Amino acid sequence: MGKLWFAIKTKPRKEFYAKGNFENQDLEVFLPATIRIARHARKVKEVLSPLFPGYLFLHLEPSERNWVTISSTYGAVGPVRFGDYYPPVPDWFIEELKARSDESGVIQVGMKEKYGFEPGDRVRLTGPSQTIIEGILKAIDGKDRAIILIEMLKREVATKVPLSALRAA
């Protein structure tokens, strides 16, 4: 029957921890990840985040399918199953995800997933005095700037603003 991929449920925010523990058991693990923007206490940073929060994939031989051991691995909850049936994940699905990954294993996602908005969306700009200006996102300009269209004196004016100051309206 050969090796098959299986989806494994992990504990909340323990995907990378579980991945390391499965690798320590010499199991082949695939944890697709992406970069997302995290905002906290007026700080903005990019963080590595699982593409499928709460899940990772194991490539297992029939002899490696010891579900009790897999379920008791630190960080893991257990395999996805329906009663006594453990459905394999199709090889083409995993291969497609791997093909979309860059050399560091990161899958780039669209702007909507990454920032919460995309060109054409209405956004809010919060200024230093906490005033809120609404506009329409025209484009992302570089890594930390955006161009938004703000209505001034009955016409739209393109303005470059810090990307970290924007929120979806």
Side-chain angles (χ1 to χ4, degrees), residues 11-86:
K11 292 182 179 177
R13 293 175 298 283
K14 295 292 184 188
E15 299 88 354
F16 294 101
Y17 181 66
K19 178 182 187 265
N21 288 324
F22 284 124
E23 288 171 339
N24 288 341
Q25 297 174 45
D26 293 325
L27 296 175
E28 184 180 349
V29 184
F30 179 56
L31 176 56
T34 188
I35 302 291
R36 71 175 175 83
I37 303 297
R39 292 179 174 92
H40 180 70
R42 295 186 185 175
K43 293 181 182 176
V44 178
K45 63 181 179 177
E46 291 184 344
V47 295
L48 190 63
S49 179
L51 186 63
F52 303 108
Y55 295 91
L56 54 76
F57 302 97
L58 290 179
H59 202 206
L60 303 170
E61 290 279 354
S63 63
E64 296 173 320
R65 297 178 196 160
N66 184 341
W67 304 122
V68 174
T69 302
I70 289 169
S71 298
S72 63
T73 299
Y74 289 117
V77 173
V80 172
R81 66 186 189 136
F82 301 98
D84 289 335
Y85 175 63
Y86 299 87

Side-chain angles (χ1 to χ4, degrees), residues 85-166:
Y85 175 63
Y86 299 87
V89 176
D91 286 339
W92 64 264
F93 180 75
I94 300 296
E95 294 308 317
E96 182 68 27
L97 288 173
K98 286 183 175 184
R100 291 176 184 229
S101 302
D102 63 16
E103 63 279 348
S104 61
V106 174
I107 297 173
Q108 297 298 324
V109 295
M111 286 180 60
K112 191 78 162 184
E113 293 87 357
K114 188 171 184 178
Y115 299 109
F117 43 78
E118 61 188 353
D121 286 354
R122 186 162 277 293
V123 293
R124 288 185 181 162
L125 171 68
T126 305
S129 62
Q130 298 302 316
T131 47
I132 296 176
I133 299 169
E134 288 200 12
I136 296 174
L137 179 66
K138 183 175 179 185
I140 301 291
D141 182 33
K143 189 172 183 176
D144 56 355
R145 289 187 315 258
I147 300 172
I148 63 171
L149 299 174
I150 299 173
E151 190 172 316
M152 290 180 143
L153 302 173
K154 300 202 181 221
R155 67 184 191 125
E156 289 184 332
V157 177
T159 308
K160 288 186 180 182
V161 298
L163 188 56
S164 60
L166 291 181

